[in-house]
């Protein structure tokens, strides 16, 4: 019986189709999937493996790290640092770029990742995931410098995520649409199950943390109030709210059936322009959403056009169904 198109087969065939693609890139993606399989296995074992709970440390943003945050981070570093495909790596969990071992050749790609998005939900069995972004190194063959990673999202050559939920899925794009693969545990392979995923331009679902409403700016207040008014409001129809609290899970739902996700700027901390990290969350997810026919904005700027100012820069995020994102952007524009 034919088992279907494996991720390894898909990557190789995709590499042959597009000019400029190389075996190095295919090898890089295949190596990354090994880390995602390992992380997924640790997530599913959970309390059986004694990996739940806090690690007792904070990351560079001052957030409490979970044990699985550190396990996932180390898994990706050690799966990728020996390959010779990379000039450097950066992670949400580390202050500075990770140095490739001296004995390993420096490659022509950069890997940026959030090893375990939504880790605050680990202990209660809610879906979490790994988010990744791949850039070309400005200078191949040498150690990457911090400035090398500060490229706008439009420069990504690949972005994706692994979802650890009811199943282990890997979803990615190299700029030619978005495809999803489900791990078949019996053979240890990701199999193509979601071909050319598309986000409808209109939607009846939205994802936002409504408990923060009092802190939002007027354009977002206006938009959410209109949705909540339903048939009695200016939109003349009802909307349903969905909120998981793991970005990877909320975006996956949108890629599968549509919707809009908002984590807008608020007034609580004037020093923070947003909550989500540009390099590790906003850029890769915006890339996927645009490849699937959606839109992604801060409310005032296309996310993929932002020139990063630091490795851990935060931005507001509004992404998903194109017509809904454009409505929120229009409300911001009216306020200017």
């Amino acid at each position: 019986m034919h088992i279907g198109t494996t991720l390894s087969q898909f990557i190789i065939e995709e590499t042959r189709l597009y000019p400029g693609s190389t075996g190095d890139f295919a090898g890089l993606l295949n190596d990354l999937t090994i880390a995602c399989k390992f992380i997924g296995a640790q997530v599913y074992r959970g309390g059986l493996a004694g990996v739940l709970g806090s690690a007792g440390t904070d990351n560079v943003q001052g957030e409490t790290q979970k044990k699985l945050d550190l396990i996932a981070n180390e898994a990706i570093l050690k799966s990728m640092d020996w390959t010779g495909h990379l000039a450097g790596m950066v992670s949400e969990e580390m202050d500075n770029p990770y140095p490739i071992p001296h004995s390993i050749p420096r490659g022509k790609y950069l890997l940026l990742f959030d090893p375990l998005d939504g880790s605050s939900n680990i202990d209660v069995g809610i879906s979490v995931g790994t988010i990744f972004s791949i850039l070309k190194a400005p200078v191949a063959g040498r150690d990457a410098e911090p400035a090398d990673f500060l490229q706008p999202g439009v420069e990504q050559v690949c972005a994706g995520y692994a979802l650890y939920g009811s199943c282990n899925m890997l979803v990615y794009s190299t700029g030619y649409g978005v495809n999803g693969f489900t791990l078949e545990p019996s053979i240890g392979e990701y199999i193509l199950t979601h071909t050319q995923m598309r986000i409808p331009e209109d939607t009846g679902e939205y994802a936002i943390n409504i408990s923060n409403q009092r802190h939002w700016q007027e354009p977002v207040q206006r938009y959410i109030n209109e949705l909540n008014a339903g048939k009695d409001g200016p939109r003349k129809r009802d909307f349903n709210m969905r909120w998981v609290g793991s970005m990877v899970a909320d975006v996956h739902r949108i890629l599968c059936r549509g919707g809009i996700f908002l984590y807008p700027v608020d007034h609580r901390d004037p020093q923070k322009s947003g909550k989500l990290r540009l390099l590790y969350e906003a850029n890769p997810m915006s890339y996927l959403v645009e490849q699937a026919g959606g839109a992604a904005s801060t409310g005032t700027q296309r996310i993929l056009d932002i020139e990063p100012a630091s490795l851990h820069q935060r931005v507001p995020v509004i992404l998903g169904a194109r017509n809904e994102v454009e409505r929120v952007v229009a409300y911001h524009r009216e306020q200017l």
Side-chain angles (χ1 to χ4, degrees):
M1 180 182 296
H2 190 267
I3 62 175
T5 302
T6 67
L7 176 60
S8 298
Q9 177 186 348
F10 187 90
I11 291 171
I12 292 170
E13 291 179 348
E14 188 179 49
T15 300
R16 293 175 182 152
L17 287 175
Y18 306 117
S21 297
T22 67
D24 285 347
F25 187 70
L28 190 162
L29 286 179
N30 275 312
D31 291 332
L32 184 58
T33 66
I34 295 173
C36 293
K37 293 173 188 177
F38 173 82
I39 295 168
Q42 299 307 303
V43 170
Y44 295 140
R45 292 180 67 201
L48 297 174
V51 296
L52 300 182
S54 171
T57 56
D58 293 341
N59 64 16
V60 64
Q61 291 89 18
E63 299 164 334
T64 300
Q65 292 174 310
K66 299 286 187 176
K67 293 177 183 177
L68 270 172
D69 283 321
L70 302 182
I71 292 171
N73 193 70
E74 187 72 5
I76 295 174
L77 294 177
K78 295 308 179 185
S79 293
M80 304 303 298
D81 69 359
W82 63 273
T83 64
H85 301 314
L86 297 172
M89 291 184 276
V90 289
S91 163
E92 178 181 314
E93 298 300 331
M94 302 186 303
D95 295 14
N96 300 302
Y98 175 83
I100 302 297
H102 292 298
S103 60
I104 304 300
R106 272 54 178 161
K108 58 184 177 182
Y109 295 106
L110 306 174
L111 178 64
L112 306 83
F113 61 92
D114 179 352
L116 203 60
D117 174 75
S119 58
S120 62
N121 286 323
I122 292 171
D123 296 350
V124 292
I126 293 176
S127 297
V128 294
T130 297
I131 306 173
F132 61 89
S133 169
I134 299 172
L135 298 165
K136 284 188 176 180
V139 181
R142 68 154 168 79
D143 286 318
E145 300 172 353
D148 294 343
F149 297 92
L150 303 182
Q151 302 180 38
V154 293
E155 299 298 331
Q156 294 173 106
V157 296
C158 178
Y161 61 81
L163 176 75
Y164 316 121
S166 58
C167 59
N168 182 329
M169 280 195 68
L170 191 136
V171 178
Y172 86 100
S173 175
T174 56
Y176 300 97
V178 181
N179 294 284
F181 302 78
T182 302
L183 183 65
E184 171 50 82
S186 66
I187 60 172
E189 285 282 359
Y190 285 104
I191 307 298
L192 179 63
T193 52
H194 296 63
T195 305
Q196 290 296 311
M197 303 169 78
R198 300 294 294 176
I199 300 172
E201 293 185 352
D202 297 295
T203 185
E205 292 187 350
Y206 67 100
I208 196 167
N209 186 348
I210 202 73
S211 67
N212 293 330
Q213 183 166 12
R214 67 191 183 278
H215 303 296
W216 299 335
Q217 294 178 333
E218 193 280 331
V220 176
Q221 295 270 13
R222 174 185 171 184
Y223 176 71
I224 297 300
N225 286 337
E226 287 182 357
L227 302 190
N228 289 339
K231 291 181 179 178
D232 300 324
R235 302 297 300 274
K236 303 299 182 184
R237 60 191 180 97
D238 291 330
F239 289 79
N240 292 321
M241 189 183 83
R242 300 285 185 263
W243 179 253
V244 178
S246 298
M247 186 187 190
V248 68
D250 281 309
V251 172
H252 183 71
R253 183 185 61 252
I254 289 171
L255 284 170
C256 288
R257 72 183 194 199
I260 181 172
F261 169 93
L262 304 95
Y263 212 124
V265 66
D266 63 44
H267 301 296
R268 281 176 294 177
D269 187 347
Q271 303 302 315
K272 295 180 180 179
S273 59
K275 170 68 174 178
L276 300 176
R277 289 81 173 173
L278 176 62
L279 297 183
Y280 314 110
E281 297 166 317
N283 270 345
M285 291 307 203
S286 297
Y287 186 85
L288 290 173
V289 165
E290 288 199 5
Q291 284 294 312
S297 173
T298 64
T300 58
Q301 183 180 9
R302 181 190 180 208
I303 289 174
L304 295 183
D305 288 336
I306 298 174
E307 294 283 348
S310 69
L311 292 178
H312 297 286
Q313 179 179 350
R314 298 175 187 247
V315 295
V317 173
I318 301 165
L319 56 74
R322 178 169 297 278
N323 288 342
E324 293 302 311
V325 172
E326 290 179 352
R327 180 182 289 268
V328 183
V329 170
Y331 290 172
H332 280 83
R333 192 179 299 119
E334 289 177 13
Q335 191 184 41
L336 296 178

